Amino acid sequence: MSDTTPNRPTANHVTSHGVIPAPRSVRGSTRPGVPLDARTTLWAGPGTGTTERWLRLTLGAALGLSLPPADQHAGDAAHTVRLRIDESLGKGLGPEAYVLDVDAERGIEIRGGGSAGVFWGAQTLRQLIGPEAFRRAPVRPGVTHVVPQRTVEDAPRFGWRGCMLDVARHFTPKDGVLRQLDLMAAHKLNVFHFHLTDDQGWRIEIKRYPKLTETGSWRARTKFGHRASPDWEEKPHGGFYTQDDIREIVAYAAERHISVVPEIDIPGHSQAAIAAYPELGNTDVVDTLSLSVWDTWGVSKNVLAPTDNALRFYEGVFEELLDLFPSEFVHVGGDECAKDQWQASPTAQARIAELGLKDEDELQSWFIRHFDDWLTARGRRLIGWDEILEGGLAPGAAVSSWRGYRGGIAAARAGHDVVMCPEQQVYLDHRQADGPDEPVPIGFVRTLEDVYRFEPVPAELTPGQARHVLGTQANLWTEVMEDRARLDYQAFPRLVAFAEVAWSALPAPAERDFADFERRMAAHYPRLDALGVAYRPPTGPLPWQRRPGVLGRPIEGPPPNV
């Protein structure tokens, strides 16, 4: 017996096979399943090419199968995997919804409402096969894998299921970014927020401004631990992506039905850009020629000057960006812009008077509104951190609500779209436990269960306002994540819980069956092992995952619900 209501996932059979995120409906039987072996063929209908390629390259390699093409109307149906897009006019599946049907007599069919739905159905099929399907080559050649007889019907709760990766504080080489996209796809996450610039580094080639990477992509040394730490790593750190690297990343993501949203942070978090081009800074109050890429953490007071020169410079940056990223949204940051230099700058004060603005907050809003208009004129949409609300919300802009729920609530009530990513809930750089072995403890304790009980839609919103919540996003800020192992540790397994929150139609937080999720995680950990993910074990960090003596910034007590 299974619950097939559209707003709650079933537990029956999902538990026994550990499907994550939890599907909306699973029906099954004890009859024999479908074997995957040398006889297995693959038929791909129109529009399913991304999944066809992925199945051959990924599952085929893992299981040692060639998956030769099948004829739609001939061959052995019981040994065929069929991919098709639903063609029911007006009554079909949503674009990301799918039905996965595994039947011993009819073989395996994945039917999606669109090409993305077919791809997500293939991710579920991979989980049903078992951990060996997550490897890059067969570990038991010749062994037949049997997919259990199941019918899975599924669709996502949110259209924006995001993960942000900060590559400015610590650079992630291109192969690491591609790996991150694979891990996102395995968990049905579909928006990769690419934080490309900050005070500590500029990571994308801009051909008309070569010094952004020649100077801005590396720093002489790096603070080790929290910014109050006395320790330094006394060697240069840096790296950047060429424009061909970016094209490759965007294409790789598109093959996995992931949209890449680039972020160029303005007008704050801009010291790396000012170090490369000193005229961008507030030259009337600070010697910008003496600035270098910042080597510590926190919020730099070196921000862009509110000049026409700065506007034209960043228009040039965004022109090249739009050629590389086809995404609807472009993120402009807009957060933590220190106003000290503007308050002291005659140029900034003259601009405030010229524009008839009230204060520096409105000056920041003017800066953001300029690029909102500029992007809108080119068919794109601006999104920024919730500070863009200060001094007046930019018309047409969407908001990443990071300081809590409050900014998202205000934006939704004003009719603006919102992505919920409150720091207190889904900043995965925050520590996972309060024990002394937790490496570089930052922020509040956010356990796996805490993330699983995160609710993206605030109860204060009316149904009409709640429709402005595009979805949710987990953020990975890398000040204390210096390499892939540290990134893995902070992200996993909590990103798995987050993925279920973003995809599945779960009950209210207090009613969620975390015990069932833990049982399914017991089946999921071997998949992460097969993928080589250095996750935090349920029992705590392994000896080599600890960082004894490295200063962090723990915050005691439960996080405020703001």
Side-chain angles (χ1 to χ4, degrees), residues 364-374 382 391-395:
Q364 177 175 343
S365 179
W366 164 81
F367 209 109
I368 297 299
R369 284 171 185 264
H370 174 87
F371 286 99
D372 182 33
D373 292 341
W374 190 92
L382 178 146
L393 189 65

Side-chain angles (χ1 to χ4, degrees), residues 44 47 61 85 125 148 165 190 256 282 288 363 374 394 533-534:
I85 291 177
L125 172 63
L165 178 61
N190 70 339
R256 286 146 185 79
N282 295 282
T288 57
L363 184 62
W374 190 92
V533 177

